[in-house]
Amino acid sequence: MFVYHLNNPIDLEADDGDSFVPLTSWLRDNFRPEKAAWLLETTLALADAAAAVRWDGDMRHLPFVDAHGEDSTGEAALIVIQQNSGPDSFVISRRPVSWAQRQSDRWHETRTRDIAPTDFAAGEPDPLLELQHAALAGARQ
């Protein structure tokens, strides 16, 4: 994964929805487990590269996705995360992003944490849901 700290923030509101879409819209439109797995992989890559790119661990809002850059698998070209404490914008992608590298004086290549997408069919046990129920039950005791 390639993680870039941009020298100038991306003005997502000025984009007019031409390229960057809110994460929730991207996931809602044609949802597939691969999209959720990719999102987790990019977020973990940012956490892994935090010291190198000076990310302090917070987000101003949910990430934005470059929806026009999707490949044949539906994987987006990149994701944009903005830091809450300032105007900092971070771009994360599985492949190098030449424009982001040109606009960045701090970038880092980190390993990709391959997350296997799993789609639980109706009626099958969902391990995450079971863990949440167990945690809630334990908190009530």
Side-chain angles (χ1 to χ4, degrees), residues 98-126:
S98 57
W99 67 262
Q101 187 170 351
R102 286 191 304 272
Q103 296 181 32
S104 175
D105 58 1
R106 292 186 300 269
W107 66 277
H108 185 75
E109 183 178 358
T110 187
R111 69 185 173 103
T112 299
R113 297 194 199 190
D114 290 321
I115 298 174
T118 304
D119 189 13
F120 292 98
E124 288 184 11
D126 182 339

Side-chain angles (χ1 to χ4, degrees), residues 16-37:
D16 293 331
D18 291 336
S19 182
F20 298 110
V21 296
L23 173 70
T24 51
S25 298
W26 181 71
L27 285 173
R28 182 181 58 238
D29 298 339
N30 192 22
F31 176 78
R32 290 191 309 272
E34 293 83 7
K35 287 184 171 186

Side-chain angles (χ1 to χ4, degrees), residues 33-66:
E34 293 83 7
K35 287 184 171 186
W38 177 81
L39 169 66
L40 291 172
E41 290 169 359
T42 59
T43 306
L44 290 169
L46 179 57
D48 290 344
V53 298
R54 296 187 189 151
W55 179 55
D56 64 15
D58 63 6
M59 294 183 198
R60 182 177 311 139
H61 45 69
L62 286 174
F64 278 65
V65 176
D66 179 7

